[in-house]
Amino acid sequence: MNYHGGVKKTLADTTALLSGFYKDKVAIVAQDKSLTYLEFDKCTNQIANGLLKEGVKPGARVAFLGKDSNINYEVLFGCSKAKAVLVPINWRLSPQEILAIIKDAEAEILFVDQAFYTIISQIKERLVPFVKIIEYNNSHSVWSDYAQWKLMQEKTSLDLSYNTKDVVLQMYTSGTTGKPKGVQLSNDSFFSLLETMRSKHDDLWMNINSNDILLHCVPFFHIGGLWWGVQGLITGAILIMQETFIAWQALEYIEKHKITKVAMVPAMLQFILSEPNCDTTDLSSLKGVLYGGSPINPPLMRKAMKVLNCDFYQIYGMTETGNMAVCLRPEDHIDTSKGCIKAAGKPLPGVALKVITPDFIDVPLGTIGEICIKSPSNMIGYWKREDATKDTLIDGWIRTGDAGYLDTDGYVYICDRIKDMIICSGENIYPAEVEAVLSEHKAIKEIAIVGIPDERWGEIAKAFIVLNIGYSLKKRELINYARGKIADYKIPQSIEIVESLPRNSNGKIMKRVLREPYWKEKERLVN
């Protein structure tokens, strides 16, 4: 990773340094509009000065609801300069879920894309009175217009000091209870690990640098997408933004902009390889593909390597670890018949891994237990969730909730999930959250949701339902009921009406029994 001498390892200090070094070099291209590094620095100053003028104090939360463009990063870096904390919101969530996050974060400002005006209009009366709404991409009769608001702000830099431990980002992730928790990430989450690898281990990893042109197609509201964008910007690369992922457009961008590196989840790779024009697209500029978010099946891996013909990197981590902590490197992909291709990878230099029992006792190599990660990128903790923080972050170790084992060569293998989480196309689905919503349906007496394998999405949610006497239920009816209450991707794609749910002697539903028929032909219980 090519960090330039003299830069402090904070988001706030980075843009001024880069603007002086690169000046008129393009930093971001979004919807065919480009922004140079000098312009980007001035824009972030305007955001920061505007936030201070609005009365935002250090540590205040600023929410962001919008598709991907240059504005996302203007606001992120602007917030860091004002010492505020950005809260990106998944725009696929329902209005109620979005409202819950804004209220939990105690956000004072909300930046919102015109595509989501309708959602915010539905909940604005329940937002606390001091939440100021700033809209963009279209003029609104009531709310402040982003372009006009920014134009009124000074472009001068701020006279503030910054610390690597300052929290700059709060990303929400649900737990097994379904209640969202704000993961607090500091500047260290973006700088510390890769800087340690470079300076202490002479490990350039993927070597993202100023000669790179990166495709940004993983959403900004995911740690993987936002982290990828930040790594590009702090190294002087050009960031090509895709508003939302569309496979044919991603291919077009790769050819048009001569993309050198890209980050995707496996489902995105599958969509790209399924495009009719994939074989005729010039992909020769590609040097590296980073994938993660969910496991990849071997046939897809082999096809992707053949068609894209570049280095592949698989990463494993979570929001709480500041994105990646483990990597399966290009040399591990050379022979896809080797056992390590099924591994998540090895811990990166500076990252420690261990596998434990429920009592936090280390297990021997080759023994399955819960994977724990200690990384310089680990979260500070959950926002105002002391108990949850203590349960997850123990003596610097993050308990991942994933079951796996370490082999004698240092590779970590993921076997199952301690928690019941389902990963559908890189999106996390927590059964308890969905069950809580659907159990309110008048026809449902009991419900249990599990993940089953799906060739297209990796996993999908399947609902096993016990009906109340005298009721029937169709899949379409359940979908219509759930829509608007939870995000569409969380709604079960398969339902099965059963007479009863399997339970153990304590009365707890045995989801393992429900999953078993669907996974018995699989080598591992993730797809």
Side-chain angles (χ1 to χ4, degrees), residues 31-49:
Q31 289 80 55
D32 292 325
K33 296 180 181 178
S34 61
L35 197 67
T36 68
Y37 272 92
L38 185 59
E39 292 168 334
F40 182 65
D41 181 49
K42 300 299 182 186
C43 286
T44 58
N45 286 343
Q46 287 175 290
I47 303 305
N49 283 311

Side-chain angles (χ1 to χ4, degrees), residues 205-208 212-215 228 254 258-264 269 283-291 301 304 308-314 330:
W205 185 60
M206 205 174 181
N207 193 26
I208 301 172
D212 277 319
I213 304 171
L214 307 184
L215 180 62
W228 180 250
I254 291 171
K258 301 196 180 304
I259 298 295
T260 59
K261 290 164 188 169
V262 62
M264 292 186 175
L269 282 170
L283 305 172
S284 61
S285 62
L286 277 177
K287 296 179 180 178
V289 171
L290 179 70
Y291 67 97
M301 181 78 264
L308 302 182
N309 191 30
C310 64
D311 288 338
F312 275 74
Y313 302 76
Q314 177 183 235

Side-chain angles (χ1 to χ4, degrees), residues 196-224:
T196 297
M197 290 168 60
R198 183 191 66 81
S199 62
K200 294 184 178 180
H201 301 275
D202 196 27
D203 185 347
L204 297 180
W205 185 60
M206 205 174 181
N207 193 26
I208 301 172
N209 62 74
S210 59
N211 294 317
D212 277 319
I213 304 171
L214 307 184
L215 180 62
H216 188 297
C217 57
V218 177
F220 177 82
F221 57 71
H222 275 303
I223 185 60

Side-chain angles (χ1 to χ4, degrees), residues 193 197 203 205 290-291 312-317 323-333 338-354 365 371-375 405-414:
L193 175 57
M197 290 168 60
D203 185 347
W205 185 60
L290 179 70
Y291 67 97
F312 275 74
Y313 302 76
Q314 177 183 235
I315 60 169
Y316 165 70
N323 199 34
M324 72 168 187
V326 170
C327 183
L328 197 68
R329 302 197 186 225
E331 55 267 30
D332 298 314
H333 290 79
K338 289 174 60 178
C340 69
I341 196 65
K342 298 177 182 178
K346 290 182 177 180
L348 291 161
V351 173
L353 233 63
K354 66 179 178 179
L365 292 176
I371 297 166
C372 295
I373 296 172
K374 180 179 281 189
S375 167
Y405 65 92
L406 284 163
D407 71 7
T408 54
D409 294 319
Y411 290 95
V412 61
Y413 293 78
I414 313 299

Side-chain angles (χ1 to χ4, degrees), residues 8 50 67 75 109 182 234 249 263 265 329 360 434 438 447 470:
K8 295 179 183 178
K67 295 186 178 182
V75 175
I109 308 281
I234 64 178
Q249 186 184 63
V265 299
R329 302 197 186 225
F360 215 75
V434 182
L438 298 185
I447 183 169

Side-chain angles (χ1 to χ4, degrees), residues 89-149:
I89 300 175
N90 184 341
W91 43 260
R92 297 179 65 184
L93 297 176
S94 70
Q96 295 306 312
E97 292 168 315
I98 290 170
L99 175 64
I101 288 173
I102 295 172
K103 294 182 75 170
D104 184 81
E106 300 173 7
E108 298 178 15
I109 308 281
L110 169 63
F111 290 89
V112 60
D113 187 339
Q114 63 90 16
F116 308 107
Y117 290 173
T118 302
I119 289 176
I120 298 303
S121 295
Q122 291 177 43
I123 63 175
K124 65 182 178 65
E125 298 301 328
R126 283 171 286 173
L127 292 173
V128 287
F130 55 80
V131 175
K132 179 182 178 70
I133 299 174
I134 300 174
E135 55 81 21
Y136 63 92
N137 284 341
N138 194 19
S139 181
H140 191 278
S141 59
V142 178
W143 305 329
S144 298
D145 174 69
Y146 177 81
Q148 294 179 4
W149 178 83

Side-chain angles (χ1 to χ4, degrees), residues 434-436 438-449 462-469 473 478 495-503 507-511 514:
V434 182
E435 289 163 355
L438 298 185
S439 63
E440 297 294 327
H441 192 287
K442 61 183 180 181
I444 295 176
K445 179 180 180 181
E446 291 182 310
I447 183 169
I449 292 173
K462 180 179 180 68
F464 293 86
I465 296 171
V466 178
L467 295 174
N468 284 311
I469 296 174
L473 185 65
L478 190 70
I495 70 170
E496 184 173 339
I497 306 301
V498 295
E499 291 186 3
S500 62
L501 297 173
R503 297 178 184 273
K508 185 176 180 180
I509 295 172
M510 295 188 292
K511 291 189 175 182
L514 296 173

